[in-house]
Amino acid sequence: MASETRQLFIGGESVPALDGRTTDDLNPYTGEVHAVVAAAGKADVTRAVDAAQEAFAEWSATSPSTRRRILLRAADCMEARTSEAIALMAGEVGGVGGWAGFNIMLAANILREAAAAVSQPVGEVLTTETPGQLSLAVREPLGVVAAFAPWNAPIILGTRAVAAPIAAGNTVVLKPSEDAPIASGLFIADVLQEAGLPAGVVNVVTNAPDDAAEVAQVLIGDPRVRAVNFTGSTEVGRIIGTLAAQHLKPAVLELGGKNSLLVLDDADLDHAVDAATFGSFHNAGQICMSTDRILVHREVAEEFTAKLAAKVASLPHGDPADPGTVIGPVISPRAAERVAALVSEAVGAGARIRTGGDGAATVLDGVTPDMRIFQEEIFGPAVVVTAVADDDEAVAIANDTEHGLSTGILTEDSRRGLALARRIRTGIAHVGNQTVDDEPQAPFGGVKASGYGRFGGRWGIEAFSATRWVTVAGGPGHFPY
């Protein structure tokens, strides 16, 4: 099948890079070219910011009802393109059909949640010491927002990168992942344009991998860009956060995780196995919230691990375009090599493979804290199971990481689970469930090296608006001189 050719999206138009350069977008399952996209340079980034800045005054003054109507229409347009999105994600990022369908569903709901937010209160009346004065705290849009979207949940996270900012009245320059320039960027722009979003409100700049650092520096460094959001690895997030801080710009960073699932001694083990399998291997483990470590009470550890290994071994894997596939490919040969190295190093140091290895979905036990796979985010189809003596040891291990995104606690006693959740230092905790979940109205984000700031609901609107103090005098002032 011939590869698709896509250009930059700037000022409501598809345009080539100014120097005419392009870059290949590869299919991770076949290794073939899925698409050819424009490779932006510094001048292209500047003209995207030009377009966003030009559109800001009119968009920020657009009525709430107009913004809501466009966002709701975009949600419907998104859902109408489900079949297209499933094919796109299979070809571009190796996403299986169920995962791609979930991307569309959640992205549409993110747009609807953003639509609901546009008419929420944007300030409050304050008390004042000045007689007759009206004192207000009002929230206003910031201006141009630089948004960076990753490849792993491309339609969800590309949509999330722009939805709250434009709902709050900002304009956006979106830089999608080099591994998903269409699904996490140009597809989102297509949907918004179809819904009637005015030209320049959202602009998409795709680039070659070697140009990523330069594009980010130019985008964040432009003085007209007033805020940044980034979803991706902690390693790159540190760079983005540093750049934003150097230019005194607020940032929302949603980064990696080393997420623990606690299986307590009173858990329903069959439910725990199903939950752990989903949490560890959905999208081949390539989710920031994926379960990396399963901490199981010693009394039930062997029974749980044997059942988990049998369940994981039965999961169909292979071609993401096959509707029966549960586990598709990882995003690149480099990613596959990294996961394989983590597994082989652990086995060489004494860990035991209970199922998998050699690129298949893998369950390990006998892993010790000095092994890399115990400390580093796996971001692939592997999970480690560790037996613990009691709740206190489980909490200690769960907290023994630089990350702090998500945790899950499986127990039949919700009070016990809630008490443990309050002791684990993560931005998200699920009692009675595994680590992977997302709802557009909930505050989403982590602590420690998993980032700062929150997407979702009113927290997302607050992140992309500024609070101003405004007063209206009630009469002539009284001044000392």
Side-chain angles (χ1 to χ4, degrees):
M1 185 175 68
S3 59
E4 183 181 7
T5 300
R6 294 296 303 263
Q7 298 182 322
L8 309 175
F9 184 76
I10 297 176
E13 297 181 355
S14 293
V15 295
L18 287 171
D19 60 8
R21 291 190 307 134
T22 62
T23 185
D24 290 341
D25 177 19
L26 300 180
N27 179 319
Y29 183 67
T30 66
E32 298 173 351
V33 175
H34 171 74
V36 176
V37 300
K42 293 188 290 186
D44 297 300
V45 176
T46 298
R47 64 173 171 159
V49 178
D50 290 343
Q53 179 68 19
E54 183 177 351
F56 173 68
E58 183 174 348
W59 178 248
S60 62
T62 300
S63 69
S65 61
T66 298
R67 271 183 270 163
R68 179 191 294 114
R69 189 161 49 249
I70 292 170
L71 288 163
L72 290 176
R73 192 181 300 128
D76 293 340
C77 294
M78 180 81 73
E79 289 179 335
R81 300 175 74 157
T82 297
S83 296
E84 176 189 347
I86 290 173
L88 169 61
M89 282 186 55
E92 189 173 50
V93 296
V96 301
W99 176 236
F102 178 75
N103 266 248
I104 285 289
M105 181 275 291
L106 184 53
N109 286 339
I110 288 170
L111 291 166
R112 293 188 178 107
E113 184 66 26
V118 300
S119 58
Q120 296 300 304
V122 292
E124 55 188 302
V125 178
L126 308 176
T127 60
T128 178
E129 293 290 337
T130 304
Q133 177 173 275
L134 178 63
S135 183
L136 306 171
V138 297
R139 300 198 70 85
E140 297 181 351
L142 297 165
V144 180
V145 174
F148 296 79
W151 56 264
N152 59 317
I155 297 174
I156 293 171
L157 300 178
T159 301
R160 189 179 73 176
V162 304
I166 64 175
N170 303 286
T171 55
V172 178
V173 177
L174 172 62
K175 197 202 89 62
S177 166
E178 296 82 15
D179 289 315
I182 300 175
S184 68
L186 296 170
F187 177 81
I188 312 301
D190 291 345
V191 168
L192 291 169
Q193 184 177 45
E194 182 182 351
L197 189 72
V201 176
V202 169
N203 307 273
V204 180
V205 176
T206 59
N207 60 273
D210 290 347
D211 298 330
E214 181 180 69
V215 166
Q217 289 168 357
V218 174
L219 179 56
I220 295 172
D222 193 302
R224 296 166 298 176
V225 169
R226 299 311 313 148
V228 178
N229 76 68
F230 172 86
T231 302
S233 70
T234 294
E235 178 185 10
V236 178
R238 292 185 196 278
I239 298 170
I240 298 296
T242 299
L243 285 170
Q246 287 174 346
H247 295 283
L248 298 178
K249 297 175 183 181
V252 176
L253 304 178
E254 196 262 284
L255 310 178
K258 188 67 180 175
N259 309 298
S260 293
L261 175 64
L262 281 60
V263 180
L264 306 190
D265 51 4
D266 67 343
D268 178 328
L269 289 191
D270 291 332
H271 168 69
V273 166
D274 291 344
T277 302
F278 179 87
S280 300
F281 297 101
H282 196 45
N283 196 34
Q286 300 173 118
I287 304 173
C288 57
M289 299 170 283
S290 290
T291 299
D292 263 21
R293 301 192 288 195
I294 305 173
L295 311 177
V296 191
H297 271 239
R298 186 165 290 133
E299 303 94 291
V300 297
E302 178 53 37
E303 181 183 359
F304 169 84
T305 307
K307 288 185 173 183
L308 176 66
K311 170 97 174 179
V312 171
S314 72
L315 299 176
H317 63 278
D319 187 349
D322 184 339
T325 298
V326 173
I327 300 180
V330 293
I331 190 63
S332 67
R334 180 181 177 185
E337 290 164 4
R338 179 182 172 277
V339 175
L342 290 173
V343 171
S344 64
E345 285 178 21
V347 171
R352 177 173 55 162
I353 293 179
R354 299 298 295 264
T355 190
D358 297 323
T362 301
V363 176
L364 292 166
D365 65 2
V367 174
T368 56
D370 59 321
M371 299 177 186
R372 276 207 304 147
I373 200 168
F374 193 81
Q375 297 294 340
E376 293 184 16
E377 183 179 25
I378 300 171
F379 221 71
V383 68
V384 304
V385 181
T386 299
V388 296
D390 51 29
D391 291 0
D392 290 341
E393 184 180 8
V395 170
I397 294 174
N399 284 332
D400 184 22
T401 170
E402 68 169 350
H403 295 290
L405 185 56
S406 183
T407 191
I409 302 167
L410 298 177
T411 174
E412 295 297 289
D413 184 344
S414 58
R415 290 184 299 177
R416 180 185 182 189
L418 183 59
L420 291 175
R422 294 176 68 90
R423 295 172 59 191
I424 298 173
R425 296 189 296 275
T426 57
I428 302 164
H430 303 297
V431 177
N433 206 346
Q434 41 72 48
T435 57
V436 178
D437 198 8
D438 194 2
E439 294 187 4
Q441 74 279 11
F444 192 100
V447 298
K448 302 192 289 185
S450 291
Y452 48 78
R454 294 293 180 268
F455 290 99
R458 64 178 174 85
W459 297 273
I461 299 298
E462 289 172 0
F464 301 109
S465 57
T467 302
R468 295 184 68 200
W469 180 35
V470 177
T471 66
V472 180
H478 300 282
F479 305 105
Y481 54 86

